[in-house]
Amino acid sequence: MSLFKKRTVRIFVVIILILVIFSAVVGYRFYGRIHQPNLSVASSDAVFLYIPTGSTYEQVCESLSQNGLENMSSFRWVAEKMNYPGKVKAGRYRLIDGMSNVELIRMLRSGRQTPVKVTFNNIRLDTQLAGVVSSDIEADSASILALLRDSTDLLKFKVTPRTILSLFIPNTYEFFWNTSAQGFMERMDKEHTRFWNENRMEKARNINMTPLQVSALASIIEEETQVDSEKPVMAGVYINRLQRGMLLQADPTVKYAVGDFTIKRVLNKHKETQSPYNTYLCTGLPPGPICIPSIASIDAVLNYKKHDYLYFCAKDDLSGSHNFAKTLEQHNNNARAYQKALNKLKIYK
């Protein structure tokens, strides 16, 4: 082989080596931009990125820069290649330490959120419900409350502002964070339908009640006692009174009518409050629930205990339990004992 050919081969080999090294360097840089860790989350607790509805790509980048993204230029480069700027999706996303650009962008672009848990119980008023729910989802309390009170919008759920609390079944539910007020209501409507299955509907028909009426009575029982074992017995008392055409005379309905839940002793002046919810004045059930009843209270009505009791009164030991009576005389004796206990503690209102 001539000297010229040898030099040519050497030059060619060098060029090949340079190209290989250059390609390796470029490839490594590309690999680094795409696959190397680019998120540093120091907190031991879970860290979440919240992207509100209507957010822009630039707003997402700003949020990421505040939540541990280390190299913004590499993130933007990969985001452009993966067409993420035009596919921003609102939601709540869990950020994991060491995530690469491609992992992060795939999660955000697909809308692969981490759900939130929404729990509500012991709710008396629609304002309370709106406040509790809005603390966990994107919809604010004002938008939720507006929907709860909008007669026209509520028609699709077959409820009114007075009966709206009957739609909700206390429990823990998973939602995506960016749920709207309308989305929350639609989910609750589905849960209500699921809860009122054929078994419960049949039980309601057997006692000549609609789900709304069951909920209204259950709400009174919910406010009367926290002792679940008493609830079917108490439901039996109220159903006995309804069947006999007697006034329910339920103290919780008076507190609701007055609008003061701090009342410890219902007085005659309270019982004179003019309201369709005051069962000392109005026959039958109130026009809607006075709180969101628990599942235990609803099932207590559906499975009420049959007996001859017509009255009940809190026990004078103030344990929260009740004495049940068949006659007014027995009831008055129980009531006097309870009133004496309240007087001893100087509870007069």
Side-chain angles (χ1 to χ4, degrees):
M1 182 181 294
S2 66
L3 182 61
F4 175 77
K5 287 184 178 181
K6 289 181 179 180
R7 287 180 177 177
T8 301
V9 170
R10 288 174 182 172
I11 293 172
F12 180 76
V13 170
V14 170
I15 293 174
I16 293 298
L17 287 174
I18 291 173
L19 289 175
V20 169
I21 293 170
F22 177 77
S23 298
V25 170
V26 172
Y28 179 78
R29 290 184 64 186
F30 283 169
Y31 178 87
R33 286 184 175 185
I34 297 171
H35 296 289
Q36 284 187 346
N38 194 29
L39 192 65
S40 178
V41 179
S43 174
S44 58
D45 298 326
V47 175
F48 294 95
L49 176 72
Y50 290 85
I51 303 179
T53 299
S55 293
T56 65
Y57 170 62
E58 291 302 324
Q59 289 171 324
V60 173
C61 290
E62 177 63 25
S63 294
L64 283 170
S65 70
Q66 297 172 3
N67 283 280
L69 190 70
E70 295 184 328
N71 189 320
M72 179 59 71
S73 63
S74 69
F75 173 82
R76 286 181 177 274
W77 185 86
V78 178
E80 290 287 344
K81 298 300 181 184
M82 297 179 69
N83 196 30
Y84 173 63
K87 295 182 178 180
V88 172
K89 294 182 180 179
R92 171 182 180 265
Y93 301 90
R94 183 172 184 178
L95 301 180
I96 300 174
D97 186 54
M99 289 184 83
S100 67
N101 288 324
V102 70
E103 290 173 328
L104 183 57
I105 293 167
R106 280 175 179 168
M107 177 180 69
L108 298 178
R109 192 179 65 172
S110 67
R112 193 170 69 249
Q113 301 183 50
T114 299
V116 297
K117 293 184 183 297
V118 177
T119 301
F120 56 87
N121 49 52
N122 299 321
I123 300 293
R124 287 191 175 112
L125 302 171
D126 55 3
T127 50
Q128 285 181 287
L129 179 64
V132 169
V133 173
S134 66
S135 67
D136 291 314
I137 63 174
E138 184 180 15
D140 61 22
S141 59
S143 64
I144 296 173
L145 187 59
L147 184 53
L148 294 177
R149 295 180 174 180
D150 191 317
S151 300
T152 302
D153 279 344
L154 292 181
L155 288 176
K156 69 184 71 173
F157 305 113
K158 299 178 182 178
V159 291
T160 68
R162 275 190 171 178
T163 64
I164 182 61
L165 295 185
S166 67
L167 186 69
F168 305 103
I169 308 299
N171 213 328
T172 297
Y173 302 96
E174 283 195 347
F175 284 88
F176 286 132
W177 172 78
N178 58 314
T179 299
S180 64
Q182 187 70 31
F184 168 72
M185 288 293 291
E186 289 172 354
R187 170 69 181 284
M188 290 296 95
D189 185 49
K190 291 179 181 178
E191 294 295 339
H192 180 269
T193 301
R194 184 178 292 112
F195 177 82
W196 282 101
N197 54 33
E198 184 53 37
N199 180 46
R200 285 194 173 95
M201 289 297 292
E202 179 64 23
K203 289 180 178 181
R205 287 191 290 267
N206 288 339
I207 60 175
N208 296 314
M209 283 189 175
T210 64
L212 171 60
Q213 291 171 323
V214 171
S215 182
L217 180 52
S219 72
I220 295 174
I221 295 169
E222 183 75 14
E223 292 288 287
E224 289 278 21
T225 182
Q226 296 302 307
V227 182
D228 284 349
S229 60
E230 285 189 342
K231 290 180 177 181
V233 183
M234 196 171 286
V237 171
Y238 283 126
I239 289 175
N240 285 345
R241 295 178 74 90
L242 285 170
Q243 291 174 343
R244 288 166 172 76
M246 299 172 66
L247 291 167
L248 292 186
Q249 296 182 323
D251 286 356
T253 66
V254 176
K255 295 178 184 180
Y256 185 88
V258 174
D260 185 355
F261 300 105
T262 66
I263 295 173
K264 291 183 172 61
R265 193 167 186 167
V266 174
L267 306 175
N268 288 333
K269 66 176 183 179
H270 299 136
K271 296 174 184 178
E272 295 169 359
T273 302
Q274 294 295 320
S275 167
Y277 288 90
N278 184 353
T279 57
Y280 275 88
L281 298 179
C282 302
T283 58
L285 292 163
I290 60 173
C291 70
I292 298 179
S294 65
I295 293 174
S297 293
I298 293 173
D299 285 342
V301 174
L302 294 175
N303 301 283
Y304 78 93
K305 189 170 182 178
K306 295 182 180 181
H307 50 62
D308 296 324
Y309 295 131
L310 290 172
Y311 309 92
F312 63 85
C313 179
K315 289 183 177 180
D316 59 357
D317 62 2
L318 305 181
S319 63
S321 297
H322 295 76
N323 286 315
F324 294 86
K326 297 178 181 180
T327 68
L328 182 58
E329 182 181 2
Q330 291 173 333
H331 173 66
N332 286 339
N333 289 334
N334 293 333
R336 278 191 289 269
Y338 177 64
Q339 290 161 5
K340 184 178 179 180
L342 291 181
N343 291 339
K344 188 176 181 179
L345 294 174
K346 297 182 179 181
I347 298 175
Y348 302 117
K349 61 179 182 178

